Amino acid sequence: MTDLWNRLTSCRAAQGDARIDGLFDADPDRATGFSTRACGMVFDWSKTMIDAPARDLLLDLARDAGVEARREAMFRGEKINETEGRAVLHTALRNLDASVTVDGQDVMPEVRAIHDRMAQFARAVRDGSFAGAGGKITDVVNIGIGGSDLGPAMAVLALAPYHDGPCTHFVSNVDGADIADTLKGLDAATTLVVVASKTFTTIETMTNAQTARDWMAASVSDPAAQFVALSSAVGKTGDFGIDQARVFGFEDWVGGRYSVWGPIGLSVMLAVGPEAFDEFLAGGAEMDAHFREASLEANLPVVLALTGIWHHQVCGYPTRAVLPYDNRLMRLPAYLQQLEMESNGKRVAMDGSELTVASGPVVWGEPGTNGQHAFYQLIHQGTTPVPCEFILAATGHEPDLAHHHILLAANCLAQAEALMRGRSLDEARALMAAKGLEGAEQDRQARHRVFPGNRPSTLLLIERLTPHALGAILALYEHRVFVEGVILGINSFDQWGVELGKELALKVEPLLTGEAMDGHDASTLRLAALIREMRG
């Protein structure tokens, strides 16, 4: 592995001042050769500095890291989450016809049973046979945090054209403003509250759940009858008053950020219906099959992962921007931010040794075209290149607004081309000369209009944002993170980095009420005192 990393670094150095657009001049077929097609989508990675030698080295890196063997171990149900001693089987939630064994037991009968219970309950809510104290459920409030919020919140927004169920709302922040603003204007008598917490102890989630219950109790005689729990802690959900028939559990081999495919996706199923939800699962399952069966060089998740490795670990670009040109994918960058940064934001390898290469990049983004009028300035003319990952659907859901979609697509393609080509100083001077500027002023103004170009981007092109397509996109990125993690030699499926701050919060809380003063640094003590003072 060390030799391959060194060879990749040397390969990048040997490219010198070469430009991306020059690779197209040297290879007329580059647009086709550096494009991968599967599962109804096309991934174009031709607008990067990955040339044939770099591609071959990256593929060797994946092979040498044992991506294929590790992939099969995951799908077989082996405990590849070694720090927690767990299997990693979120894929089982969307491959309902499979047979998967964990500790000698086929887990799929229980997976299918829970899925069928979810579908039965969703149909009852949607057709009114399950009702609230005031009649048919009109609103669903999903209370969770992290993967218990980001996944379903993102998917519900993405699948808006398929909504034919109750209105769905999401609460995650322990800031009281979040739940207050969400519940304001809702009718408690026709609201269903979904509490998503595997352990039913997550402090932010349970604080919000109790507030929602108190709100509902003010006007509903039996508020627990309008609560659902997505949890494996049946005892604790019973203590909260939720009937076991409305408790949908999942195993510890499903991580929070990978959980939208199962019970955590109940809010999605309530919004779009079991049939559309099953199409979502089918899209993920199709990507799973492609990931397992395609050769590495034709494998969408592998190629996507290798572009990420090239840009971050080889080129040293610290961030990547995810830029969906689809307003309904507004929450996708945040979802992928958690998926990647919680999975691969590690500092030690599986054996506990310090990493010798950088771990995951900072992932961020917003939908186009909004970003063009905000942070694209830095992307085009800032001092540090930002690899951009564009996502675009060929068609939209509004045929009478097709001209909007054409303009959207044109902007997406133009931004990618502009990032690659840029604008030279001579071209900028010509523009200023055409405006009548001369001499030093012409040169000064021209320099402000230079675009260095040679900035990498990729484009994931889908036909249309359907439930099936969304499922395929999410599974694609899940497997991308997996491949990157295997290459880096880390465990992508634990998240110890979220623990320390939460533990300390329990010790800091008494400071804010003046109950404890010892065991903290001077800054924390002073800030807590100021908060008490400002609160009066």
Side-chain angles (χ1 to χ4, degrees), residues 17-86:
D17 296 328
R19 294 181 59 88
I20 298 170
D21 44 5
L23 297 177
F24 287 90
D25 296 335
D27 179 7
D29 295 324
R30 180 174 174 81
T32 301
F34 287 79
S35 179
T36 309
R37 186 167 194 155
C39 302
M41 60 181 67
V42 178
F43 178 62
D44 183 298
W45 47 301
S46 61
K47 293 188 181 72
T48 71
M49 277 304 299
I50 301 176
D51 53 17
R55 175 183 57 193
D56 292 344
L57 285 172
L58 288 165
L59 288 167
D60 287 343
L61 188 70
R63 294 188 184 97
D64 195 63
V67 165
E68 292 154 304
R70 197 72 172 171
R71 174 189 64 194
E72 290 311 303
M74 177 178 71
F75 279 100
R76 283 196 303 268
E78 295 183 19
K79 296 181 179 181
I80 66 168
N81 179 352
E82 295 178 12
T83 60
E84 297 180 296
R86 296 174 180 172

Side-chain angles (χ1 to χ4, degrees), residues 148-454:
S148 300
D149 170 78
L150 280 168
M154 175 275 302
V156 164
L157 178 59
L159 300 180
Y162 300 88
H163 287 197
D164 54 5
C167 295
T168 310
H169 316 267
F170 294 87
V171 173
S172 58
N173 202 321
V174 76
D175 183 345
D178 193 7
I179 193 164
D181 291 347
T182 301
L183 298 181
K184 187 186 305 179
L186 299 187
D187 182 354
T190 58
T191 295
L192 178 72
V193 178
V194 177
V195 183
S197 173
K198 183 185 292 187
T199 63
F200 228 62
T201 59
T202 308
I203 189 165
E204 299 95 336
T205 299
M206 298 316 300
T207 300
N208 280 323
Q210 186 60 53
T211 297
R213 182 182 168 129
D214 293 344
W215 165 78
M216 189 171 286
S219 54
V220 173
S221 60
D222 185 9
Q226 290 173 219
F227 272 68
V228 174
L230 312 180
S231 176
S232 299
V234 176
K236 290 185 174 63
T237 60
D239 293 342
F240 198 83
I242 302 175
D243 190 287
Q244 191 170 346
R246 298 191 307 282
V247 177
F248 303 91
F250 49 102
E251 300 297 330
D252 64 5
W253 37 255
V254 180
R257 56 193 176 278
Y258 298 92
S259 61
V260 69
W261 312 97
I264 294 299
L266 179 62
S267 294
V268 185
M269 187 184 280
L270 288 166
V272 304
E275 291 74 21
F277 188 81
D278 284 353
E279 279 298 306
F280 169 66
L281 299 185
E286 184 179 357
M287 184 58 70
D288 292 342
H290 166 74
F291 180 47
R292 296 187 76 177
E293 297 165 5
S295 63
L296 293 186
E297 56 269 22
N299 198 300
L300 273 173
V302 172
V303 172
L304 180 59
L306 294 180
T307 61
I309 292 288
W310 172 260
H311 287 142
H312 186 54
Q313 281 79 15
V314 179
C315 298
Y317 303 142
T319 79
R320 73 166 61 119
V322 178
L323 307 170
Y325 273 66
D326 190 310
N327 200 60
R328 292 187 176 112
L329 289 177
M330 182 181 297
R331 295 293 289 160
L332 182 64
Y335 175 81
L336 297 180
Q337 186 178 71
Q338 185 203 19
L339 180 65
E340 175 117 11
M341 295 175 69
E342 192 166 85
S343 297
N344 290 347
K346 310 293 171 59
R347 57 181 291 274
V348 297
M350 195 78 77
D351 62 4
S353 62
E354 297 279 344
L355 290 181
T356 57
V357 294
S359 59
V362 174
V363 178
W364 59 283
E366 288 286 338
T369 57
N370 292 15
Q372 293 175 200
H373 296 267
F375 54 80
Y376 277 48
Q377 167 64 45
L378 181 144
I379 287 175
H380 282 288
Q381 291 188 311
T383 55
T384 302
V386 177
C388 295
E389 298 185 352
F390 295 100
I391 301 173
L392 176 68
T395 60
H397 284 276
E398 295 75 30
D400 55 331
L401 298 175
H403 59 295
H404 280 255
H405 198 81
I406 290 172
L407 182 58
L408 179 77
N411 271 274
C412 181
L413 298 182
Q415 291 296 327
E417 185 175 20
L419 284 165
M420 178 182 69
R421 293 182 59 177
R423 178 191 289 154
S424 69
L425 180 57
D426 286 343
E427 290 171 329
R429 282 172 175 154
L431 286 174
M432 294 302 96
K435 292 180 177 292
L437 298 181
E438 298 177 349
E441 182 61 12
Q442 179 194 96
D443 186 72
R444 185 179 75 86
Q445 291 286 352
R447 290 180 184 277
H448 287 278
R449 289 160 175 80
V450 169
F451 289 69
N454 206 32

Side-chain angles (χ1 to χ4, degrees), residues 309 343-344 480-492:
I309 292 288
S343 297
N344 290 347
R480 181 250 192 102
V481 167
F482 168 82
V483 172
E484 289 181 342
V486 173
I487 291 174
L488 294 172
I490 64 177
N491 182 4
S492 298

